[in-house]
Short mmCIF file of all heavy atoms in Angstrom, two decimals:
data_model
loop_
_atom_site.label_atom_id
_atom_site.label_comp_id
_atom_site.label_asym_id
_atom_site.label_seq_id
_atom_site.Cartn_x
_atom_site.Cartn_y
_atom_site.Cartn_z
N MET A 1 13.62 -7.99 -26.35
CA MET A 1 13.24 -9.27 -25.86
C MET A 1 13.04 -10.18 -26.96
O MET A 1 12.70 -9.82 -28.17
CB MET A 1 12.09 -9.22 -24.90
CG MET A 1 10.77 -8.71 -25.57
SD MET A 1 9.56 -8.10 -24.30
CE MET A 1 10.29 -6.53 -24.05
N LYS A 2 13.15 -11.57 -26.79
CA LYS A 2 12.99 -12.52 -27.66
C LYS A 2 11.52 -12.85 -28.05
O LYS A 2 10.81 -13.19 -27.26
CB LYS A 2 13.72 -13.85 -27.28
CG LYS A 2 15.21 -13.63 -27.15
CD LYS A 2 15.78 -14.85 -26.63
CE LYS A 2 15.55 -15.26 -25.17
NZ LYS A 2 16.23 -16.59 -24.80
N ASN A 3 11.16 -12.60 -29.32
CA ASN A 3 9.68 -12.86 -29.75
C ASN A 3 9.30 -14.25 -29.69
O ASN A 3 8.24 -14.58 -29.49
CB ASN A 3 9.61 -12.31 -31.08
CG ASN A 3 9.65 -10.73 -31.22
OD1 ASN A 3 9.33 -10.01 -30.24
ND2 ASN A 3 10.19 -10.19 -32.35
N ASN A 4 10.39 -15.11 -29.73
CA ASN A 4 10.02 -16.54 -29.79
C ASN A 4 10.50 -17.16 -28.54
O ASN A 4 10.67 -18.36 -28.22
CB ASN A 4 10.88 -17.22 -30.89
CG ASN A 4 12.33 -17.03 -30.75
OD1 ASN A 4 12.79 -16.21 -29.94
ND2 ASN A 4 13.13 -17.80 -31.33
N CYS A 5 10.50 -16.30 -27.34
CA CYS A 5 10.85 -16.83 -26.03
C CYS A 5 9.76 -17.77 -25.48
O CYS A 5 8.56 -17.35 -25.44
CB CYS A 5 11.09 -15.68 -25.07
SG CYS A 5 11.48 -16.28 -23.42
N PRO A 6 10.06 -19.00 -25.14
CA PRO A 6 9.03 -20.03 -24.81
C PRO A 6 8.56 -19.71 -23.40
O PRO A 6 7.41 -20.11 -23.04
CB PRO A 6 9.80 -21.29 -24.76
CG PRO A 6 11.25 -20.92 -24.55
CD PRO A 6 11.44 -19.69 -25.33
N LYS A 7 9.33 -18.85 -22.69
CA LYS A 7 8.77 -18.60 -21.23
C LYS A 7 7.91 -17.49 -21.13
O LYS A 7 6.85 -17.45 -20.42
CB LYS A 7 10.09 -18.33 -20.31
CG LYS A 7 10.87 -19.57 -20.06
CD LYS A 7 11.93 -19.36 -19.08
CE LYS A 7 12.67 -20.61 -18.63
NZ LYS A 7 13.70 -20.40 -17.66
N CYS A 8 8.15 -16.45 -21.90
CA CYS A 8 7.27 -15.18 -21.88
C CYS A 8 6.65 -14.80 -23.24
O CYS A 8 5.86 -13.89 -23.18
CB CYS A 8 8.13 -13.97 -21.45
SG CYS A 8 9.31 -13.43 -22.68
N ASN A 9 6.84 -15.67 -24.22
CA ASN A 9 6.14 -15.44 -25.48
C ASN A 9 6.52 -14.12 -26.09
O ASN A 9 5.63 -13.49 -26.74
CB ASN A 9 4.65 -15.73 -25.38
CG ASN A 9 4.39 -17.17 -25.05
OD1 ASN A 9 5.01 -18.12 -25.58
ND2 ASN A 9 3.49 -17.40 -24.13
N GLY A 10 7.67 -13.46 -25.75
CA GLY A 10 8.04 -12.26 -26.28
C GLY A 10 7.57 -10.95 -25.51
O GLY A 10 7.69 -9.86 -25.96
N THR A 11 6.88 -11.22 -24.41
CA THR A 11 6.30 -10.19 -23.52
C THR A 11 7.28 -9.53 -22.60
O THR A 11 7.25 -8.44 -22.13
CB THR A 11 4.97 -10.53 -22.84
OG1 THR A 11 5.48 -11.59 -21.89
CG2 THR A 11 3.93 -11.16 -23.82
N GLY A 12 8.31 -10.36 -22.34
CA GLY A 12 9.33 -10.00 -21.24
C GLY A 12 8.82 -10.19 -19.90
O GLY A 12 9.52 -10.02 -18.93
N ILE A 13 7.60 -10.62 -19.71
CA ILE A 13 7.03 -10.94 -18.31
C ILE A 13 6.60 -12.45 -18.29
O ILE A 13 5.88 -12.93 -19.11
CB ILE A 13 5.84 -9.97 -18.05
CG1 ILE A 13 6.16 -8.51 -18.23
CG2 ILE A 13 5.19 -10.29 -16.82
CD1 ILE A 13 7.23 -8.07 -17.16
N VAL A 14 6.94 -12.97 -17.14
CA VAL A 14 6.57 -14.41 -16.95
C VAL A 14 5.53 -14.52 -15.90
O VAL A 14 5.71 -14.02 -14.82
CB VAL A 14 7.85 -15.34 -16.56
CG1 VAL A 14 7.42 -16.79 -16.32
CG2 VAL A 14 8.82 -15.31 -17.72
N LYS A 15 4.46 -15.22 -16.19
CA LYS A 15 3.42 -15.41 -15.20
C LYS A 15 3.58 -16.92 -14.57
O LYS A 15 3.48 -17.89 -15.25
CB LYS A 15 1.99 -15.43 -15.93
CG LYS A 15 1.67 -13.88 -16.15
CD LYS A 15 0.23 -13.92 -16.68
CE LYS A 15 -0.24 -12.44 -17.06
NZ LYS A 15 -1.57 -12.31 -17.52
N GLU A 16 3.72 -16.91 -13.31
CA GLU A 16 3.70 -18.09 -12.59
C GLU A 16 2.39 -18.68 -12.36
O GLU A 16 1.49 -18.09 -12.37
CB GLU A 16 4.51 -17.93 -11.27
CG GLU A 16 5.87 -17.46 -11.37
CD GLU A 16 6.86 -18.53 -12.05
OE1 GLU A 16 6.38 -19.57 -12.29
OE2 GLU A 16 8.01 -18.02 -12.24
N GLU A 17 2.38 -19.97 -12.05
CA GLU A 17 1.17 -20.72 -11.80
C GLU A 17 0.33 -20.09 -10.59
O GLU A 17 -0.94 -20.21 -10.60
CB GLU A 17 1.39 -22.17 -11.65
CG GLU A 17 1.93 -22.90 -12.83
CD GLU A 17 2.11 -24.34 -12.60
OE1 GLU A 17 1.90 -24.79 -11.51
OE2 GLU A 17 2.60 -25.11 -13.51
N ASP A 18 0.99 -19.58 -9.65
CA ASP A 18 0.46 -18.88 -8.57
C ASP A 18 -0.12 -17.65 -8.80
O ASP A 18 -0.79 -17.00 -7.92
CB ASP A 18 1.40 -19.05 -7.29
CG ASP A 18 2.59 -18.03 -7.53
OD1 ASP A 18 2.60 -17.42 -8.63
OD2 ASP A 18 3.42 -18.07 -6.61
N GLY A 19 0.05 -17.03 -9.93
CA GLY A 19 -0.45 -15.83 -10.29
C GLY A 19 0.43 -14.68 -10.28
O GLY A 19 0.15 -13.55 -10.70
N SER A 20 1.63 -14.86 -9.70
CA SER A 20 2.65 -13.86 -9.54
C SER A 20 3.27 -13.58 -10.92
O SER A 20 3.38 -14.47 -11.75
CB SER A 20 3.68 -14.18 -8.60
OG SER A 20 4.46 -15.39 -8.91
N VAL A 21 3.85 -12.43 -11.20
CA VAL A 21 4.61 -12.13 -12.48
C VAL A 21 5.94 -11.61 -12.08
O VAL A 21 6.05 -11.04 -11.10
CB VAL A 21 3.75 -11.05 -13.34
CG1 VAL A 21 2.41 -11.72 -13.73
CG2 VAL A 21 3.55 -9.83 -12.54
N HIS A 22 6.85 -11.87 -13.06
CA HIS A 22 8.17 -11.32 -12.83
C HIS A 22 8.82 -11.16 -14.20
O HIS A 22 8.39 -11.78 -15.21
CB HIS A 22 9.02 -12.27 -11.93
CG HIS A 22 9.19 -13.65 -12.50
ND1 HIS A 22 10.16 -13.85 -13.50
CD2 HIS A 22 8.63 -14.70 -12.20
CE1 HIS A 22 10.06 -15.14 -13.70
NE2 HIS A 22 9.14 -15.78 -12.95
N THR A 23 9.93 -10.40 -14.28
CA THR A 23 10.72 -10.27 -15.44
C THR A 23 11.16 -11.64 -15.96
O THR A 23 11.67 -12.46 -15.14
CB THR A 23 11.97 -9.36 -15.22
OG1 THR A 23 11.49 -8.10 -14.67
CG2 THR A 23 12.60 -9.05 -16.45
N CYS A 24 11.12 -11.82 -17.26
CA CYS A 24 11.65 -13.02 -17.78
C CYS A 24 13.14 -13.04 -17.81
O CYS A 24 13.85 -12.25 -18.41
CB CYS A 24 11.21 -13.11 -19.30
SG CYS A 24 11.84 -14.62 -20.15
N TRP A 25 13.78 -13.92 -16.86
CA TRP A 25 15.20 -13.94 -16.72
C TRP A 25 15.97 -14.44 -18.06
O TRP A 25 17.03 -13.96 -18.28
CB TRP A 25 15.54 -14.98 -15.52
CG TRP A 25 14.82 -14.76 -14.30
CD1 TRP A 25 14.08 -15.53 -13.71
CD2 TRP A 25 14.78 -13.53 -13.62
NE1 TRP A 25 13.52 -14.94 -12.60
CE2 TRP A 25 14.03 -13.73 -12.53
CE3 TRP A 25 15.33 -12.24 -13.91
CZ2 TRP A 25 13.75 -12.67 -11.51
CZ3 TRP A 25 15.13 -11.26 -12.94
CH2 TRP A 25 14.40 -11.50 -11.80
N ASP A 26 15.26 -15.19 -18.88
CA ASP A 26 15.95 -15.64 -20.07
C ASP A 26 16.22 -14.42 -20.92
O ASP A 26 17.32 -14.21 -21.59
CB ASP A 26 15.04 -16.55 -20.85
CG ASP A 26 15.33 -18.07 -20.27
OD1 ASP A 26 15.90 -18.16 -19.18
OD2 ASP A 26 14.90 -19.03 -20.97
N CYS A 27 15.10 -13.53 -21.17
CA CYS A 27 15.31 -12.45 -22.00
C CYS A 27 16.26 -11.38 -21.30
O CYS A 27 17.02 -10.77 -21.96
CB CYS A 27 14.01 -11.74 -22.22
SG CYS A 27 12.86 -12.70 -23.24
N LEU A 28 16.35 -11.29 -19.96
CA LEU A 28 17.06 -10.39 -19.28
C LEU A 28 18.54 -10.70 -19.43
O LEU A 28 19.33 -9.94 -19.66
CB LEU A 28 16.68 -10.49 -17.85
CG LEU A 28 17.41 -9.33 -17.02
CD1 LEU A 28 16.89 -7.89 -17.37
CD2 LEU A 28 17.15 -9.50 -15.45
N MET A 29 18.91 -11.97 -19.34
CA MET A 29 20.28 -12.55 -19.44
C MET A 29 20.73 -12.36 -20.91
O MET A 29 21.84 -12.29 -21.23
CB MET A 29 20.38 -13.88 -18.90
CG MET A 29 20.09 -14.05 -17.53
SD MET A 29 21.28 -13.13 -16.62
CE MET A 29 20.62 -13.41 -14.85
N SER A 30 19.87 -12.41 -21.86
CA SER A 30 20.25 -12.50 -23.27
C SER A 30 20.53 -10.90 -23.71
O SER A 30 20.94 -10.76 -24.76
CB SER A 30 19.14 -13.05 -24.05
OG SER A 30 17.98 -12.26 -24.03
N GLY A 31 20.13 -10.03 -22.80
CA GLY A 31 20.39 -8.65 -23.07
C GLY A 31 19.34 -8.01 -23.94
O GLY A 31 19.62 -6.99 -24.53
N ASP A 32 18.21 -8.61 -24.11
CA ASP A 32 17.18 -8.01 -24.96
C ASP A 32 16.08 -7.12 -24.26
O ASP A 32 15.25 -6.70 -24.88
CB ASP A 32 16.38 -9.14 -25.64
CG ASP A 32 17.33 -9.93 -26.74
OD1 ASP A 32 18.37 -9.27 -27.09
OD2 ASP A 32 17.16 -11.04 -27.00
N MET A 33 16.26 -7.14 -22.89
CA MET A 33 15.27 -6.23 -22.28
C MET A 33 15.58 -4.81 -22.31
O MET A 33 16.72 -4.49 -22.36
CB MET A 33 15.24 -6.78 -20.72
CG MET A 33 14.68 -8.15 -20.49
SD MET A 33 13.04 -8.22 -21.04
CE MET A 33 12.21 -7.30 -19.62
N ASP A 34 14.66 -3.87 -22.17
CA ASP A 34 14.71 -2.57 -22.39
C ASP A 34 15.55 -1.89 -21.15
O ASP A 34 16.26 -0.95 -21.41
CB ASP A 34 13.29 -1.84 -22.35
CG ASP A 34 12.60 -2.19 -23.61
OD1 ASP A 34 13.30 -2.62 -24.53
OD2 ASP A 34 11.37 -2.02 -23.67
N VAL A 35 15.49 -2.59 -19.98
CA VAL A 35 16.18 -1.84 -18.89
C VAL A 35 17.61 -1.89 -19.07
O VAL A 35 18.44 -1.11 -18.45
CB VAL A 35 15.82 -2.79 -17.64
CG1 VAL A 35 14.47 -2.49 -17.03
CG2 VAL A 35 16.09 -4.24 -17.81
N HIS A 36 18.16 -2.84 -20.03
CA HIS A 36 19.60 -2.77 -20.23
C HIS A 36 19.91 -2.48 -21.69
O HIS A 36 20.79 -3.10 -22.29
CB HIS A 36 20.29 -4.20 -19.77
CG HIS A 36 20.20 -4.39 -18.43
ND1 HIS A 36 20.84 -3.65 -17.51
CD2 HIS A 36 19.58 -5.46 -17.65
CE1 HIS A 36 20.62 -4.17 -16.23
NE2 HIS A 36 19.86 -5.14 -16.38
N SER A 37 19.13 -1.71 -22.30
CA SER A 37 19.20 -1.38 -23.69
C SER A 37 20.23 -0.40 -23.95
O SER A 37 20.85 0.19 -23.07
CB SER A 37 17.83 -0.87 -24.32
OG SER A 37 17.63 0.41 -23.76
N ASP A 38 20.61 -0.22 -25.21
CA ASP A 38 21.64 0.78 -25.49
C ASP A 38 21.28 2.25 -25.10
O ASP A 38 22.12 3.07 -24.94
CB ASP A 38 21.91 0.68 -27.01
CG ASP A 38 22.54 -0.65 -27.45
OD1 ASP A 38 23.12 -1.23 -26.47
OD2 ASP A 38 22.50 -0.94 -28.62
N LYS A 39 19.95 2.49 -25.04
CA LYS A 39 19.51 3.79 -24.81
C LYS A 39 20.03 4.19 -23.34
O LYS A 39 20.39 5.43 -23.19
CB LYS A 39 18.01 3.86 -24.76
CG LYS A 39 17.38 3.66 -26.16
CD LYS A 39 15.80 3.70 -26.15
CE LYS A 39 15.33 3.51 -27.55
NZ LYS A 39 13.86 3.40 -27.54
N VAL A 40 20.08 3.39 -22.41
CA VAL A 40 20.54 3.62 -21.04
C VAL A 40 21.99 4.11 -21.03
O VAL A 40 22.40 4.99 -20.56
CB VAL A 40 20.43 2.31 -20.16
CG1 VAL A 40 20.94 2.73 -18.75
CG2 VAL A 40 18.93 1.98 -20.05
N ALA A 41 22.77 3.28 -21.95
CA ALA A 41 24.17 3.68 -21.98
C ALA A 41 24.41 5.01 -22.67
O ALA A 41 25.17 5.84 -22.37
CB ALA A 41 24.84 2.56 -22.97
N ASP A 42 23.47 5.25 -23.63
CA ASP A 42 23.60 6.69 -24.38
C ASP A 42 23.37 7.69 -23.32
O ASP A 42 24.00 8.70 -23.39
CB ASP A 42 22.54 6.67 -25.44
CG ASP A 42 22.94 5.80 -26.72
OD1 ASP A 42 24.18 5.44 -26.74
OD2 ASP A 42 22.12 5.40 -27.47
N SER A 43 22.39 7.56 -22.51
CA SER A 43 22.02 8.52 -21.50
C SER A 43 23.17 8.80 -20.58
O SER A 43 23.48 10.02 -20.26
CB SER A 43 20.74 8.32 -20.76
OG SER A 43 21.11 7.13 -19.84
N LYS A 44 23.96 7.83 -20.28
CA LYS A 44 25.06 7.93 -19.38
C LYS A 44 26.11 8.79 -20.06
O LYS A 44 26.87 9.60 -19.43
CB LYS A 44 25.60 6.60 -18.96
CG LYS A 44 24.69 5.87 -17.89
CD LYS A 44 25.27 4.63 -17.49
CE LYS A 44 24.24 3.92 -16.56
NZ LYS A 44 24.80 2.50 -16.19
N ILE A 45 26.37 8.47 -21.34
CA ILE A 45 27.47 9.22 -22.20
C ILE A 45 27.16 10.63 -22.17
O ILE A 45 27.97 11.37 -22.01
CB ILE A 45 27.55 8.57 -23.49
CG1 ILE A 45 28.05 7.10 -23.42
CG2 ILE A 45 28.54 9.27 -24.36
CD1 ILE A 45 28.03 6.37 -24.77
N LYS A 46 25.93 11.05 -22.33
CA LYS A 46 25.39 12.39 -22.58
C LYS A 46 25.69 13.13 -21.25
O LYS A 46 26.22 14.35 -21.25
CB LYS A 46 24.12 12.57 -22.95
CG LYS A 46 23.83 12.04 -24.38
CD LYS A 46 22.33 12.14 -24.71
CE LYS A 46 22.07 11.70 -26.13
NZ LYS A 46 20.59 11.66 -26.52
N ILE A 47 25.56 12.51 -20.14
CA ILE A 47 25.74 13.13 -18.79
C ILE A 47 27.31 13.34 -18.60
O ILE A 47 27.59 14.47 -18.09
CB ILE A 47 25.25 12.43 -17.66
CG1 ILE A 47 23.67 12.22 -17.80
CG2 ILE A 47 25.50 12.95 -16.32
CD1 ILE A 47 22.97 11.27 -16.92
ZN1 ZN B 101 11.53 -14.29 -22.34
#
């Protein structure tokens, strides 16, 4: 994830004013989130 992300400050999690939290879409779309990391692709290749 982006360490300088203005929305999540590099945490990958965005806190809304109502207290709810969700994945930072900016980091997700940029491909920096762990859920879409290269490790996932590697595991598929091994299978
Ligand atoms: Zn972010």
Side-chain angles (χ1 to χ4, degrees):
M1 56 201 81
K2 296 182 288 186
N3 291 330
N4 60 344
C5 179
K7 289 188 176 181
C8 67
N9 294 317
T11 63
I13 301 295
V14 176
K15 286 186 178 181
E16 298 291 356
E17 292 181 357
D18 62 3
S20 63
V21 295
H22 64 78
T23 304
C24 178
W25 305 126
D26 275 20
C27 289
L28 189 65
M29 293 302 176
S30 68
D32 291 335
M33 292 297 289
D34 290 341
V35 287
H36 292 300
S37 69
D38 292 339
K39 293 180 181 178
V40 177
D42 287 341
S43 64
K44 289 181 179 179
I45 295 174
K46 290 178 181 176
I47 294 172

